[in-house]
Amino acid sequence: MRVTNQSLSSQVQDTLQQALRRLTETQEQISSGKRINRLADDPFGAVRSLDVQSLAASLSQYQKNIAAGLPVLNQTDNVLGDVGDALVHAKEIAVSMANGAMSAADRASAAAEVRELSARLLSLGNFQFENRYLFAGFANGAAPFTAAVGGATYNGDSGTIDIQANRSTRVTVNLPGDSVFQGAGVAGGTDLFSTLADLETALTVNNVSGANGITTQIGRLDAGLDQISAFRAQVGARIETLNTARQGLETMQLKTTEMRSNIEDVDPLKVYSDFARLQQAFQAALESSARVVQPSILDFMR
Amino acid sequence: MSILTSLSIAARAMQAQQEAIQTTSHNIANVATPGYSRQNALMSASAPALEGQLLLGNGVTVTGVRNVVDRFAEMELLGRNASLGYADARARALGALQDAFPVSGGIQSALDGFFNAWSALSNNPGGQAERVAVVNAANALSYQFSQTRSLLVDGQTNLDKDLNTAVGNLNSLLTQIADLNGQIAGAEAGGQPANDLRDQRQLLLQQVSRLTGATVLGGDAPQATVLVGGLVLVSGDRAATLDTDTVGVSGFRLVNYTSPNGGLSFDASTLFSQGEIGGILSLRDTEIPDMLGRLDQLAKTVVDQVNTQHAAGFDLNGAPGGNFFAPIGAVAGAANAMQVAAAVAADPSLIAAAQTAAGAPGDNGNALAIAGLQNGVFAALGNKSPQDYYLALVQDVGSQAQSAGDQADFQQSLLSQAQARRDSVSGVSLEEEMTKLILFQRAFEASSVLVRTGDEMYQTIIDMVR
């Protein structure tokens, strides 16, 4: 093939241009630390990276959801513990007052103590956490229980508040008060408020073993304690579910970081050795070009 | 008589060497001229003269000056220019368009942000801050949609401007070619080729081919006929006129064609499918509208689905949910029309987070349902989730940009190779020219010695007589 001055010079230009472009591309990768700086660098990788980014955003939202739900459940667990304590205390009173050695006056004074426990139970039923009533169902903006003759009235609803714990799992983070405190919807459920009110009445009127007497109330208190334990177990299981979900999310979150880095980040070893190689190639191209372009027949004609 | 003949041979030889040296000078002078093909002074021995029994040589004459051209290499170069023009136009435009779909952030993260805001609202459905956050995330989403859409439309507008420039260039090239056709026909009437004018025309034809993928008819005839998709662009010394003054229904320029004799005039946009203009038109009229359509479809589906689910719920006052987004009628332009309904934007308590009509602040059922739309698949999106539908679009744009870039590089290297093949035949080599120069110079010197020898021979004869 005949070589001419123009084709020689354009070939030198092409070669240098190409070497310089590859060098610049590698330099961009080094300075950004990213293999994918624009979509066209690797469309498939870029899309996978976007997918992973979206997954990471969801994971962090699920973690926030759990972070919002867990304290509610923990608080519910505490309150149920307190309710249990109050019931145990009431039962102690009832058991000791059922003893034949106690006088009517003893029982009348114990009635005052039970009245206090009633008030305490009411305030536990109206427990507020982060300005929301724990036991009001959906209607958690207002106190769910108001005291009434012989017990309490429930003003809440039976709504169940779910949180999205991960893509496929929803966990209920509330217990409706009418079920917990009044046994609504629970097989053989016990109304704790009316139990305490009835106990107070039995103590006041000194009714030990008659109808609605202290003995009857002891039985109802036992049933009430079982009811509370059952709900506590339910709350405990939900806390466990959320903790498990959270651990899963944290593991996944770490993995997404790793996946994203695998897709996007440059392999420093490879990119630096590429850079050195390209630099050398560019240098060689420059030098050889200089030698090819320089000499001319004119140099030898003087 | 033969001394006189020798002298005249010497004189004609000096003349011929001078002509050859002039041709060589012309070659050297044009070593860097693009499109120039080297010329040769064609020397041949003059017809011999019969002197008595002898057929004696009669010296040299330059019978013509020809440029060295490989028609096949020139044809190949035209074709390569057409392919490169097409690939280059696409690579340039798609290289800019891909930035509408960033590799992080963009619509993808706005969609995530929007649905995650609903998820956050479900944690505290009565919260004012969470409600405002949902409205803000929706605003961010609609901003991203309209931003992406306007980047694509900008791409179309830029291509439209490029088309205007390209057609302007094409017109001027066609006029120049038609002029050269006329000049060449005139100059070659005497039978000698107009080498330099033909070189100029060939270079212009390459540019026309890069713009349109035009084919050239006529072979070695003095006048080249230029055709694109059956349209005659140049015929003889007349050029067709193209203009982009008319705007079509799409809101972009049409390519109007007026035939060389002015007799025909019509919209010829669809006939330009190659070269730079073909690349511009295919992106502007086919590929970008497709991207816009898919973007609009996604925006409309998100708006429709969110509105439907929103209407199934109840707001903080217990009233049924209205539209969350201002409803969008047509798919076309939907990405630009996405907007939070004015009532909701003004009063976020109208966000229907609840699934019951009680107006209870703790009811998050509908917020959960709307957050769940993120993973829903919809017939309007080809049974894909919004995210998968968007990612498929991104993947397509990325692949197009990538392959357009690769194509442009590939075509560039093919063009360089074709150019090298053409140059290896037609290009000027200084080494070659200098060597020839020495040859011609020596021949000239030798011829001048001939004259002196003739002169001395005459002198000898004159001295004999004295």
Side-chain angles (χ1 to χ4, degrees), chain A residues 81-97 109-110 112-118 120-121 124 196 199 203 214 217-218 221-222 225:
Chain A
D82 291 352
V83 170
D85 291 351
L87 294 184
V88 168
H89 192 184
K91 191 186 158 190
E92 282 164 9
I93 294 170
V95 169
S96 70
M97 289 305 147
S109 71
E113 215 176 326
V114 171
R115 190 178 312 129
E116 268 170 42
L117 283 176
S118 280
R120 173 149 173 68
L121 191 65
L124 285 173
L196 287 189
L199 176 60
L203 288 167
I214 296 172
Q217 302 316 324
I218 290 174
L221 282 172
D222 281 335
L225 275 167

Side-chain angles (χ1 to χ4, degrees), chain A residues 2-301:
Chain A
R2 201 171 150 267
V3 177
T4 65
N5 297 69
Q6 237 184 55
S7 66
L8 189 66
S9 97
S10 65
Q11 199 214 323
V12 164
Q13 275 178 31
D14 277 4
T15 316
L16 290 181
Q17 188 61 43
Q18 259 178 32
L20 197 59
R21 206 181 69 185
R22 281 204 216 110
L23 206 57
T24 321
E25 280 168 8
T26 316
Q27 206 278 327
E28 189 189 8
Q29 290 191 358
I30 289 178
S31 62
S32 71
K34 299 251 176 259
R35 199 170 60 78
I36 304 173
N37 292 299
R38 315 181 79 201
L39 204 48
D41 292 342
D42 176 4
F44 185 68
V47 164
R48 273 204 309 152
S49 157
L50 280 171
D51 207 11
V52 173
Q53 287 172 43
S54 163
L55 176 62
S58 301
L59 292 178
S60 101
Q61 183 58 44
Y62 296 144
Q63 283 171 312
K64 282 181 201 155
N65 295 351
I66 291 176
L70 260 183
V72 176
L73 283 172
N74 283 328
Q75 195 57 51
T76 306
D77 185 51
N78 289 342
V79 173
L80 291 182
D82 291 352
V83 170
D85 291 351
L87 294 184
V88 168
H89 192 184
K91 191 186 158 190
E92 282 164 9
I93 294 170
V95 169
S96 70
M97 289 305 147
N99 191 325
M102 292 297 165
S103 69
D106 292 336
R107 293 192 176 113
S109 71
E113 215 176 326
V114 171
R115 190 178 312 129
E116 268 170 42
L117 283 176
S118 280
R120 173 149 173 68
L121 191 65
L122 189 69
S123 84
L124 285 173
N126 287 335
F127 196 92
Q128 251 184 314
F129 180 68
E130 287 173 344
N131 287 326
R132 281 173 270 170
Y133 289 89
L134 280 183
F135 299 103
F138 287 152
N140 59 11
F145 294 106
T146 43
V149 178
T153 319
Y154 183 59
N155 312 310
D157 57 33
S158 54
T160 51
I161 301 173
D162 290 353
I163 63 157
Q164 195 79 40
N166 59 36
R167 183 165 170 164
S168 55
T169 314
R170 281 185 190 173
V171 174
T172 306
V173 295
N174 74 322
L175 294 172
D178 55 348
S179 307
V180 177
F181 290 89
Q182 298 181 309
V186 181
T190 309
D191 185 337
L192 305 180
F193 294 113
S194 73
T195 304
L196 287 189
D198 290 352
L199 176 60
E200 186 190 333
T201 311
L203 288 167
T204 312
V205 302
N206 198 17
N207 173 4
V208 178
S209 50
N212 271 333
I214 296 172
T215 324
T216 314
Q217 302 316 324
I218 290 174
R220 288 177 72 192
L221 282 172
D222 281 335
L225 275 167
D226 288 350
Q227 183 173 311
I228 293 298
S229 321
F231 280 114
R232 265 192 101 172
Q234 207 175 1
V235 169
R238 288 175 188 172
I239 290 175
E240 193 51 40
T241 309
L242 287 188
N243 276 328
T244 312
R246 186 170 62 181
Q247 280 163 18
L249 293 173
E250 279 163 2
T251 316
M252 288 265 280
Q253 188 78 284
L254 281 178
K255 252 187 215 148
T256 58
T257 316
E258 190 189 314
M259 276 158 74
R260 206 179 153 188
S261 151
N262 281 344
I263 298 167
E264 290 179 4
D265 292 357
V266 292
D267 174 0
L269 222 65
K270 183 182 175 300
V271 80
Y272 279 111
S273 68
D274 277 359
F275 188 71
R277 192 170 51 75
L278 289 170
Q279 218 172 5
Q280 237 169 22
F282 184 57
Q283 201 109 34
L286 275 178
E287 275 171 27
S288 67
S289 313
R291 287 190 190 182
V292 172
V293 176
Q294 276 278 317
S296 149
I297 193 171
L298 295 169
D299 299 336
F300 303 96
M301 285 177 61

Side-chain angles (χ1 to χ4, degrees), chain B residues 88-164:
Chain B
D88 241 8
R90 291 175 57 84
R92 246 183 300 131
L94 282 165
L97 279 179
Q98 65 174 334
D99 293 340
F101 303 94
V103 292
S104 70
I107 289 181
Q108 174 67 61
S109 79
L111 273 173
D112 292 340
F114 175 68
F115 288 114
N116 287 338
W118 283 98
S119 198
L121 175 62
S122 76
N123 292 331
N124 186 15
Q128 181 69 12
E130 283 81 354
R131 284 170 181 267
V132 171
V134 166
V135 171
N136 288 343
N139 285 336
L141 180 62
S142 65
Y143 171 77
Q144 281 297 343
F145 265 113
S146 72
Q147 175 75 7
T148 306
R149 193 176 203 286
S150 76
L151 283 173
L152 292 180
V153 172
D154 283 354
Q156 260 180 318
T157 314
N158 287 339
L159 285 168
D160 203 43
K161 285 181 193 151
D162 288 352
L163 178 71
N164 195 30

